[in-house]
Amino acid sequence: MTSAIAVAGLRKSYGDHAVLDGVDLDVPRGTVLALLGSNGAGKTTVVRILSTLLRADGGTATVNGFDVAGQPEQVRGSISLTGQFAAVDQVLTGRENLVLMARLRHLDDAGRVAGDLLTRFDLTDAADRRVATYSGGMRRRLDIAMSLVGDPPVLFLDEPTTGLDPQSRTAVWATVRELAGSGTTVLLTTQYLDEAEQLADRIAILHRGRIIVEGTLAELRRLLPPATVEHVEKQSTLEEVFLAVVGSGGQAGR
């Protein structure tokens, strides 16, 4: 199978309000697809249906070859989901959160799995502190680390960098690139257009309940008139200035 996620005619309404009105989507294996749309466009609804947290009113959807409605257990065994808010236990330490997730996935050597992810996300120094003492950026990094326990073939990231400082955001971007490079399929929803430009192999725009355009960034750019050449002085962005001043290493949030 070439498609990790295949959606056809997906519909969902809340009362008289149709949130999804025939969504069609195809995500090839090992690619990153960015799902864009304004607030209330239905991006999170799509993710919730695909991750079996919400039942569609109509249409079909498969994830990793399994039907979302008919084979929910197999779908859940194939995915991980990182929502808009960090879902970590603040009473436990960072290490304990990861060990718990590894045991829930019935993995051998949960301690080693936790240690590897703590190192990967630059959380080793804070591993044995309660998560309640973590900054927002550290909690988000831990949340994404937990979603990678067990190396799921499909990962849903629902606005994963909302509220993060530039350094933590850059670290998340690096992780997504690494995942895609290793063959993980990622469906990413985001409000940040530059994030989609940086990470996505393909981009889909959801508007009024439908995917109105989908393609690579180059393909989408061809929808506009040809660019005109102008000679202007390029100024550094504020984010570039910030990272140059404080450094772009993984020390954010400490």
Side-chain angles (χ1 to χ4, degrees):
M1 296 175 292
T2 59
S3 297
I5 301 171
V7 176
L10 203 63
R11 300 193 309 276
K12 181 65 183 178
S13 297
Y14 296 101
D16 295 331
H17 177 54
V19 179
L20 305 179
D21 188 25
V23 170
D24 298 316
L25 198 60
D26 185 87
V27 185
R29 292 183 181 276
T31 63
V32 179
L33 182 130
L35 183 61
L36 307 182
S38 57
N39 287 333
K43 303 185 300 295
T44 297
T45 299
V46 170
V47 170
R48 293 186 67 195
I49 290 172
L50 293 177
S51 57
T52 75
L53 297 177
L54 185 68
R55 183 173 287 272
D57 296 333
T60 61
T62 61
V63 175
N64 200 34
F66 300 111
D67 182 78
V68 168
Q71 301 170 291
E73 289 189 13
Q74 291 91 330
V75 171
R76 292 172 196 146
S78 301
I79 68 170
S80 270
L81 167 65
T82 294
Q84 296 180 20
F85 304 98
V88 293
D89 191 321
Q90 298 190 49
V91 175
L92 301 179
T93 67
R95 189 186 307 278
E96 288 169 342
N97 268 278
L98 289 165
V99 167
L100 174 62
M101 183 60 66
R103 288 176 176 169
L104 288 173
R105 285 194 174 268
H106 306 292
L107 300 181
D108 294 330
D109 200 355
R112 180 190 58 78
V113 172
D116 289 346
L117 286 167
L118 288 165
T119 299
R120 182 173 176 181
F121 283 85
D122 196 27
L123 290 168
T124 303
D125 291 345
D128 298 311
R129 283 168 38 196
R130 290 176 56 183
V131 174
T133 69
Y134 284 18
S135 68
M138 293 171 70
R139 291 179 194 177
R140 174 53 91 187
R141 280 186 280 155
L142 177 62
D143 190 35
I144 295 175
M146 290 174 65
S147 73
L148 300 183
V149 170
D151 297 319
V154 179
L155 179 62
F156 297 109
L157 297 177
D158 192 11
E159 299 189 15
T161 62
T162 297
L164 291 188
D165 59 78
Q167 291 164 297
S168 295
R169 190 178 176 207
T170 300
V172 170
W173 286 6
T175 298
V176 173
R177 291 190 188 99
E178 180 184 340
L179 289 170
S182 64
T184 302
T185 304
V186 179
L187 191 152
L188 166 78
T189 75
T190 180
Q191 295 287 350
Y192 303 124
L193 300 186
D194 61 331
E195 188 161 83
E197 287 189 24
Q198 289 284 334
L199 298 178
D201 298 301
R202 301 188 69 81
I203 298 167
I205 299 178
L206 181 64
H207 183 64
R208 294 183 178 178
R210 292 176 179 267
I211 300 294
I212 59 172
V213 66
E214 189 267 338
T216 65
L217 179 58
E219 290 169 343
L220 299 190
R221 282 175 170 159
R222 286 200 290 270
L223 297 175
L224 299 177
T228 58
V229 178
E230 296 182 357
H231 297 283
V232 297
E233 180 181 351
K234 183 182 182 298
Q235 297 290 330
S236 299
T237 66
L238 180 57
E239 182 169 314
E240 289 171 338
V241 172
F242 181 92
L243 293 173
V245 171
V246 304
S248 58
Q251 305 299 315
R254 292 190 180 171

